[in-house]
Amino acid sequence: MRKTILHGLAVALTLLITVQGNAQDVIDLTTVDNPDILADTLPDLASGSIVLLKPGMTYNAGSHGFDRSVTLQSSEPSNLNRPHIYCGDNFNFIDGATIDSIIFKNLEFSGEYESKYVLNVDSSATVGKLAFIGCYIHDLRGVYRMKAGTGTL
């Protein structure tokens, strides 16, 4: 009996160390009712962070320039009232950035049809993966525009 308990404890401890060793930073913004919190938070994230956004809340893109991997996603993936990112100012890339991935999951994007995009790029960057998974995108001129710079997507 004692040997079984110790063995179970050793397995549980090994799993805990393995999971924590590969953990990504999860930033939960669901309790903050400030539309600029996303734009204010993005510059300080560690590469590979996952940002949880509140369904029904509108966040401002704030012209953030990506320079590291990030996932922005709904805290409730099955909720059809998705977190909304208003692209009054477009996202961009920092010149010379090398980014593994930028992933948007279960979000809504909108802006001004005449001139706005989710990403309106005017710099050179290399991005391994750009994904929009389960997103609703409307009232924008486009999703991605590369108006200047060179790079790889």
Side-chain angles (χ1 to χ4, degrees):
M1 172 94 172
R2 178 181 242 175
K3 186 176 183 179
T4 303
I5 291 172
L6 288 176
H7 177 70
L9 183 59
V11 169
L13 186 57
T14 302
L15 284 172
L16 179 64
I17 291 170
T18 302
V19 170
Q20 287 184 344
N22 296 325
Q24 296 171 312
D25 290 337
V26 176
I27 312 301
D28 186 348
L29 299 182
T30 60
T31 61
V32 182
D33 288 329
N34 174 355
D36 294 321
I37 190 64
L38 177 61
D40 293 344
T41 301
L42 286 172
D44 300 324
L45 296 175
S47 185
S49 293
I50 297 170
V51 180
L52 301 177
L53 302 174
K54 181 180 179 179
M57 174 79 183
T58 298
Y59 299 90
N60 295 318
S63 69
H64 174 71
F66 290 103
D67 64 348
R68 63 198 78 164
S69 294
V70 66
T71 298
L72 304 181
Q73 69 183 48
S74 175
S75 64
E76 299 175 32
S78 62
N79 190 330
L80 296 179
N81 189 15
R82 297 171 177 94
H84 178 218
I85 297 179
Y86 181 72
C87 299
D89 294 309
N90 308 282
F91 287 125
N92 201 346
F93 298 121
I94 299 295
D95 196 41
T98 298
I99 303 166
D100 180 57
S101 63
I102 298 174
I103 301 170
F104 302 102
K105 287 184 181 177
N106 303 309
L107 303 173
E108 176 181 356
F109 294 89
S110 73
E112 298 170 21
Y113 178 78
E114 295 79 27
S115 61
K116 298 302 176 184
Y117 302 81
V118 175
L119 284 153
N120 195 4
V121 180
D122 63 1
S123 59
S124 298
T126 300
V127 181
K129 175 180 172 181
L130 176 63
F132 293 85
I133 302 166
C135 292
Y136 176 52
I137 303 169
H138 60 94
D139 297 324
L140 289 165
R141 185 171 184 140
V143 175
Y144 179 88
R145 174 183 178 214
M146 183 156 232
K147 60 183 179 180
T150 60
T152 305
L153 177 62

